[in-house]
Amino acid sequence: MLKKVLLPTLSLFVVCVVIAAALATTNMFTSKKIAALAEEASTQARQRILPSERYEKSEFVLNGTTYTYHTAYNKSEVTGYIFATSANGYGGVISVLTGIDCSGKIIAVEITDASNETAGLGQNTAKEEFYSQYSGKDNTVSVVKNSPQKNEIQAVTGATISSNAATAAVNTALELYNQISSGGVK
């Protein structure tokens, strides 16, 4: 009886240890490469949003939440800021990068993750035809279903919640910019 229980238990234990060791070894060899690829993707995104010679990473606390942003420089002159923000959408968190110039105007926006949103609906917020609507806005942005005006964008059809979440993230970036440019941090 003991042999009937002990042998399968011991076999299962050995298999689990071998698999765990293999996963740990794989992680050890790939984690640096994954981090380097993520940093490269982040650098490329910054260059698309607000091309500059260099970026300086900083953090800012707004309403108890810490946000990361990059100050963009050409030579020693500040050319703008890129804010990493997010908001809860229909299926999960929507992550956004927002580039804002020194006058407070949105240069560009890129939705970096909307993968938890509904395919064919909310995930469409990650398409350029949606997020390009933010360019040129300079004040709190709102979402409308039809005929957007000055500081409005048109929601993705069938994905108003996702559109509102992306817009909330962009508005957070605008609020961060206003705090930083008015003496919070430079």
Side-chain angles (χ1 to χ4, degrees):
M1 179 72 165
L2 185 62
K3 189 176 182 181
K4 239 181 173 180
V5 173
L6 190 58
L7 189 58
T9 303
L10 186 59
S11 297
L12 185 59
F13 175 76
V14 169
V15 167
C16 289
V17 168
V18 168
I19 289 173
L23 287 172
T25 302
T26 301
N27 183 55
M28 184 176 68
F29 286 115
T30 61
S31 62
K32 288 181 183 176
K33 179 70 171 172
I34 291 169
L37 289 172
E39 181 57 34
E40 177 63 25
S42 181
T43 299
Q44 290 174 356
R46 285 192 299 273
Q47 282 294 334
R48 283 190 304 271
I49 292 169
L50 184 59
S52 290
E53 292 175 355
R54 71 180 174 92
Y55 302 92
E56 186 177 293
K57 184 177 180 178
S58 302
E59 291 183 342
F60 189 81
V61 178
L62 179 67
N63 301 326
T65 302
T66 302
Y67 294 94
T68 300
Y69 71 96
H70 288 83
T71 305
Y73 292 91
N74 281 333
K75 295 188 174 47
S76 62
E77 183 181 336
V78 175
T79 58
Y81 303 89
I82 300 172
F83 298 94
T85 56
S86 61
N88 290 321
Y90 182 75
V93 174
I94 295 178
S95 299
V96 179
L97 288 177
T98 305
I100 301 175
D101 69 13
C102 292
S103 70
K105 186 185 296 185
I106 296 173
I107 298 299
V109 169
E110 190 170 309
I111 309 297
T112 57
D113 185 15
S115 60
N116 291 322
E117 298 305 291
T118 306
L121 294 173
Q123 287 183 1
N124 288 340
T125 58
K127 292 185 175 180
E128 187 175 1
E129 61 195 48
F130 172 74
Y131 64 74
S132 65
Q133 297 180 82
Y134 294 103
S135 295
K137 310 289 190 228
D138 60 359
N139 206 338
T140 302
V141 181
S142 58
V143 178
V144 296
K145 292 184 180 183
N146 296 306
S147 306
Q149 301 298 312
K150 185 178 189 255
N151 275 329
E152 298 175 332
I153 57 123
Q154 186 167 336
V156 172
T157 303
T160 306
I161 294 172
S162 300
S163 300
N164 282 327
T167 301
V170 170
N171 285 334
T172 298
L174 286 165
E175 187 175 352
L176 287 163
Y177 168 80
N178 289 331
Q179 291 291 318
I180 290 166
S181 66
S182 69
V185 174
K186 273 232 173 179

